Amino acid sequence: MRRWDFVAAYLQGELQQGEVVYCHAPPGHAILGADGKPRVCRVEKPIYGMAQAGRRWQRSLFPWLKEWSFRQCESDPCVFTMSRDVDGVTRRLILGCYVDDLFTLYSHDGFGSLYEDFTSALATRWNVEDEGPISDLLNVEISYYSDHVSLGQQKYIDHLMETYLPDGVPLSFHKTQAPASEELPARVDEALRTKHERDIKPADKQAYQSLVEHFSTARHKPDLTWPTQWASSAVP
């Protein structure tokens, strides 16, 4: 398993045919026109800060992967798979795309392998860097053993504990208790009904949004998916 990084990924994307986008010049580079007003720049490539830059990057990379005969996963469109039979041996390659990061999981490497052929084409087509064997991905720690690979979030959980429960786990919490009360849906409905009646402090709003974002990174845990979805719907 290795991670590849697309250097300045958005700048490697392409605008759609006929798409015209203008922007103000960067600070210190403005040029005044005949009318005395600052001239605008026509964007030739997707740039950081442009609303559709991420989408344009995705629509540049994904078609290229499909041209390489990768099959896009139906349940997660950012995951691609490919297999090839060589001398009776099935060789597999799995990709996971996350913005400018490319996670690669392969069954064989070395000269003439599917992985070697793909990464050579990847480096030819795109400006990429091989960041080496992967040890963490989206707050998930990856540990290698002789006969298996282990996934965990111990460091991330410790970080959450230090941030939100610096004094330790309250005595009211129980190991056999569900992550959320059955009253959660009712409380979310009440919060949505009265959100215009309450004066929410910016600091409290930011703290709540941060907490929901942290829990959303653990959405692969079924026991957290349900409460996180409810909490997300009540984000101020």
Side-chain angles (χ1 to χ4, degrees):
M1 292 186 286
R2 300 180 75 87
R3 186 205 309 267
W4 289 74
D5 176 68
F6 291 93
V7 180
Y10 286 0
L11 299 180
Q12 299 192 57
E14 299 290 343
L15 295 175
Q16 290 185 328
Q17 186 175 3
E19 184 176 18
V20 179
V21 179
Y22 294 95
C23 70
H24 293 288
H29 296 273
I31 300 176
L32 299 180
D35 58 359
K37 297 181 179 180
R39 302 181 66 179
V40 296
C41 302
R42 178 169 178 172
V43 176
E44 297 291 340
K45 302 277 287 184
I47 57 177
Y48 287 84
M50 193 172 78
Q52 62 269 47
R55 184 64 169 167
R56 297 296 174 265
W57 161 238
Q58 184 189 73
R59 290 193 172 184
S60 298
L61 175 62
F62 285 12
W64 182 81
L65 294 176
K66 290 181 178 179
E67 289 177 3
W68 241 82
S69 299
F70 277 97
R71 184 174 64 85
Q72 191 172 23
C73 181
E74 294 183 359
S75 59
D76 189 337
C78 292
V79 175
F80 294 80
T81 62
M82 176 193 284
S83 61
R84 178 190 298 173
D85 290 332
V86 179
D87 298 329
V89 178
T90 300
R91 305 189 177 190
R92 294 184 174 86
L93 176 59
I94 301 175
L95 307 178
C97 306
Y98 184 75
V99 191
D100 58 352
D101 285 329
L102 185 70
F103 168 78
T104 60
L105 173 64
Y106 48 92
S107 60
H108 299 76
D109 60 358
F111 180 76
S113 66
L114 179 58
Y115 173 76
E116 176 68 20
D117 291 346
F118 169 72
T119 52
S120 295
L122 181 73
T124 300
R125 173 60 181 85
W126 309 97
N127 183 8
V128 293
E129 294 180 350
D130 181 2
E131 297 188 339
I134 191 168
S135 59
D136 65 274
L137 181 69
L138 302 179
N139 293 315
V140 176
E141 303 155 32
I142 303 174
S143 303
Y144 300 84
Y145 299 92
S146 60
D147 58 349
H148 69 282
V149 174
S150 175
L151 305 180
Q153 287 190 296
Q154 187 62 52
K155 292 182 180 179
Y156 187 64
I157 292 172
D158 290 342
H159 168 69
L160 293 181
M161 291 292 295
E162 294 173 1
T163 303
Y164 298 104
L165 295 173
D167 297 327
V169 179
L171 296 177
S172 58
F173 287 18
H174 303 282
K175 291 183 178 180
T176 57
Q177 187 178 21
S181 168
E182 295 181 355
E183 300 175 358
L184 179 61
R187 293 188 178 185
V188 170
D189 288 339
E190 181 182 359
L192 292 175
R193 286 197 308 269
T194 61
K195 65 179 180 180
H196 299 297
E197 304 172 6
R198 292 176 287 111
D199 183 19
I200 303 176
K201 297 179 180 179
D204 293 338
K205 178 180 179 180
Q206 184 177 2
Y208 184 84
Q209 292 173 337
S210 177
L211 178 61
V212 171
E213 181 181 357
H214 281 138
F215 275 108
S216 68
T217 62
R219 57 185 176 272
H220 60 280
K221 289 181 61 62
D223 56 341
L224 291 179
T225 299
W226 181 79
T228 300
Q229 288 177 340
W230 276 102
S232 299
S233 64
V235 171

